[in-house]
């Protein structure tokens, strides 16, 4: 029997898992009984999407009770009686059945029009997070799972990977530690969380500013100056991105740019440097407690590179490969500075200003005018058509489905050739009060095989904050907003294309490096004429949208994306190297490290005297600690895939269908490096990425 067939057999035959499913379905039915409003049944999708505050509390209670029952039952299995059917299958079924119920509780926090429902959802999320954290620390359950791994029962490849992921998750949460070590781990985590928030709060609460004269702000747009507060004849410039970046881009006065750059680089002060150094020490202690040599190896082990050494090699190789391109770009900037200021001595504060000058000279594009080509409705319909054509899909809008707001649309997704139902997605793209403020995708249900042999289909929600219609006309999107929506809809298609057996291998639960690769690959369609024309049309007061964006404008958008790519990437690599080195080394002086690395990576440009970038680098403090490299890593893989498989025929459905089946469908059920290498027929390479950026850089 094939591995996949064996997995289907053992899951379908698992009596304990079936009991889990029955229990959870009864729990959900009890909540649903409180609902008076009837809704259209959606095959393969059972979760409610419009719960009341009371419903959310009841459902969260039942989820916790059922979860504890299942974990207790697994923990009670004698170590000499462990099997797939009484240990692994119940936990897999619990994940499959609970995930859409949990999401039904927590999604309303982001989307509900009701304050009461949002509060109930936020409270449920806290309770559920705390409960699942405790579950992942249970030594009794971990001991039983480990006993199963040592038994040697034959299971399929995907089931084996599922078990390995569970073991790693338990170990990452300290399940194999003694009670005293667990208490130490919890104290470390609490201390780390407190310091991270203190670092961020220091930046957010900063009220530092500079007072500058109109002469010192020469070159700044009038619109910018109008937004500044005038104090005794001088303009009050806050040390925030909203003020600092425009000045570094537009101010003609070099001394002002330097003053701003130094002040911003000291924004966090010595206090934040001390916080970050303490954070790094605590993270190393945390990692060593769990058996890792350093924090970077702990953070990277579940990701594609697996080790910090691999990440460092990647960053160093990429930096070296970019040297020629970045040197050519720097020469252009130095020439511009010589012409404008009579001085070729180039410093950090000059980078953004002369990049902007060069862009104005070399890229014929009014980014403000470009939005006239992107009415919201036309962009959305173009995106839907493009993904259907490329990936052999069919989207059908379900007009009578229940949603949480009357502007939300629901679509079913079908395979265009077999007419198999693949999943559903909700589009909640228009702004409203109380709604989550950013563009993102949320999984409402994962695709997976259940114990009774039926399949849950993937369900996703695309959230955005697009402007609504104005005076009966479709609102317009700025081009970066078009790219963001396109990127996030790529995640929707990735999620819905998933055909893995286990819920945890969903397209939205993948290792961070892998999850971004398909969306970054598909972003390339936003810079190609044939695809941009499909989602654009000139919008005027008279609703004439028959004229799509010009090919010249498409080329300018691509040139704008790639111009000075070498120098921009070098700056990013510098920060990634700092992140990686401090999380692999012991007692690293962060300021000294940056001073040493800066001229080496940035082609001889020294760090500004008095600057302390580590005092205002929030990604290292929270969210991306030891994994700042991830976005560049994903970009490199995406560029190779695009150049190798799509560049010459963007709408080739055969290529799109093969990508859907070979890369998107497995989800996390296979090693991501193996998936991509098998698809390419070789190891991924840096060369395609370097060449793509070099082609349009200058």
């Amino acid at each position: 029997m094939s591995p996949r067939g064996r997995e289907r057999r053992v899951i379908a035959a698992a009596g304990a898992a079936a009991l889990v499913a029955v229990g959870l379905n009864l729990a959900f039915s009890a909540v649903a009984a409180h609902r008076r409003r009837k809704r259209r049944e959606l095959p393969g999708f059972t979760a409610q999407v419009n719960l009341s505050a009371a419903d959310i509390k009841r459902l969260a209670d039942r989820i916790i009770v059922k979860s504890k029952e299942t974990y207790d039952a697994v923990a009670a299995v004698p170590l000499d009686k462990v099997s797939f059917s009484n240990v692994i299958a119940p936990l897999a079924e619990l994940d499959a059945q609970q995930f859409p119920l949990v999401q039904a509780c927590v999604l309303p926090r982001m989307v509900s029009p009701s304050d009461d429902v949002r509060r109930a959802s936020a409270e449920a999320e806290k309770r559920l997070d705390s409960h699942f954290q405790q579950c992942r620390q249970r030594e009794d359950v971990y001991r039983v799972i480990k006993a199963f791994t040592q038994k040697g029962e034959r299971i399929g490849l995907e089931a084996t990977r599922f078990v390995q992921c569970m073991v790693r998750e338990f170990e990452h949460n300290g399940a194999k530690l003694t009670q005293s070590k667990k208490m130490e781990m919890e104290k470390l985590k609490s201390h780390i969380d407190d310091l991270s928030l203190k670092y961020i709060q220091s930046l957010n609460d900063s009220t530092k500013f500079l007072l500058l004269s109109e002469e010192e702000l020469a070159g700044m747009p009038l619109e910018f100056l109008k937004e500044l507060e005038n104090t005794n004849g001088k303009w009050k410039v806050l040390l925030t991105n909203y003020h600092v970046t425009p000045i570094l881009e537009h101010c003609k006065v070099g001394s002002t740019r330097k003053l701003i750059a130094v002040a911003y680089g000291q924004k966090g002060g010595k206090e934040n440097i001390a916080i970050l150094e303490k954070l790094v020490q605590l993270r190393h202690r945390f990692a060593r407690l769990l058996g890792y040599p350093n924090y970077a190896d702990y953070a990277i082990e579940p990701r594609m590179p697996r080790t910090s050494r691999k990440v460092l090699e990647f960053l160093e190789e990429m930096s070296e490969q970019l040297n020629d391109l970045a040197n050519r770009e720097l020469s252009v900037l130095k020439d511009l500075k010589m012409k404008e200021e009579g001085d070729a001595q180039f410093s950090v504060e000059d980078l953004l200003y002369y990049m902007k000058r060069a862009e104005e000279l070399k890229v014929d594009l009014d980014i403000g005018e470009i939005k006239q080509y992107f009415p919201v409705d036309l962009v959305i319909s173009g995106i839907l058509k493009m993904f259907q054509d490329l990936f052999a899909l069919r989207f059908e809008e379900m007009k009578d489905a229940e949603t949480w707001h009357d502007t939300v649309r629901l679509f079913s997704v079908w395979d265009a050739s077999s007419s198999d139902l693949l999943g559903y997605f909700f589009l909640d793209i228009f702004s409203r009060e109380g709604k989550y403020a950013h563009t993102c995708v949320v999984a409402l249900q994962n695709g997976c095989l259940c114990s009774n042999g039926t399949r849950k289909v993937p369900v996703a929600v695309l959230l955005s904050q697009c402007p609504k219609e104005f005076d009966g006309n479709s609102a317009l999107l700025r081009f970066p907003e078009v790219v963001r929506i396109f990127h996030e809809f790529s995640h929707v298609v990735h999620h819905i294309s998933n055909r893995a057996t286990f819920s945890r291998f969903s397209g939205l639960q993948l290792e961070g490096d892998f999850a971004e690769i398909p969306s970054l690959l598909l972003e390339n369609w936003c810079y190609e004429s044939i695809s941009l024309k499909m989602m654009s049309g000139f919008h005027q007061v008279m609703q004439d949208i028959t004229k799509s964006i010009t090919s010249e404008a498409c080329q300018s958008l691509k040139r704008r994306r790639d111009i000075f790519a070498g120098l921009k990437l070098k700056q990013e690599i510098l920060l990634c190297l700092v992140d990686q080195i401090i999380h692999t080394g012991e007692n690293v002086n962060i300021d000294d490290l940056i001073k040493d690395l800066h001229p080496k990576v940035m082609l001889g440009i020294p760090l500004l005297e008095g600057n302390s970038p580590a005092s205002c680098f929030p990604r290292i403090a929270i969210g991306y600690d030891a994994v700042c490299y991830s976005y560049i890593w994903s970009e490199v893989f995406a560029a190779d895939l695009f150049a190798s498989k799509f560049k010459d025929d963007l709408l080739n459905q055969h290529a799109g269908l093969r990508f859907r089946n070979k890369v998107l469908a497995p989800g996390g059920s296979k090693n991501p490096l193996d998936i991509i290498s098998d698809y390419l027929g070789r190891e991924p390479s840096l060369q395609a990425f370097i060449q793509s950026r070099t082609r349009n850089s200058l």
Side-chain angles (χ1 to χ4, degrees), residues 394-460:
R394 187 175 79 251
F395 302 156
E396 294 182 0
E397 185 166 8
M398 307 181 73
K399 297 281 190 181
D400 55 346
E402 180 186 22
T403 65
W404 49 90
H405 193 269
D406 57 12
T407 61
V408 178
R409 302 165 69 189
L410 172 64
F411 293 80
S412 56
V413 182
W414 308 79
D415 184 285
S417 57
S418 69
S419 293
D420 290 340
L421 175 66
L422 299 181
Y424 304 92
F425 65 87
F426 292 85
L427 290 183
D428 186 356
I429 63 170
F430 293 108
S431 61
R432 61 177 179 271
E433 186 177 354
K435 182 182 168 185
Y436 183 69
H438 303 286
T439 300
C440 69
V441 174
V442 179
L444 202 49
Q445 179 169 286
N446 291 333
C448 58
L449 190 66
C450 299
S451 60
N452 61 5
T454 62
R455 185 170 184 85
K456 287 185 180 293
V457 298
V459 183

Side-chain angles (χ1 to χ4, degrees), residues 41-104:
E41 292 300 320
L42 304 177
F45 176 49
T46 55
Q48 291 274 8
V49 297
N50 200 16
L51 299 178
S52 68
D55 290 339
I56 290 171
K57 185 180 184 306
R58 280 190 291 267
L59 182 54
D61 289 341
R62 288 176 171 85
I63 289 170
I64 290 170
V65 168
K66 193 63 209 177
S67 174
K68 188 175 185 306
E69 286 178 2
T70 303
Y71 274 82
D72 288 346
V74 170
V77 176
L79 298 184
D80 60 343
K81 301 292 185 183
V82 295
S83 68
F84 187 95
S85 62
N86 64 15
V87 174
I88 307 304
L91 294 174
E93 184 68 16
L94 183 72
D95 188 23
Q97 298 292 343
Q98 278 202 334
F99 184 84
L101 306 185
V102 171
Q103 295 304 92

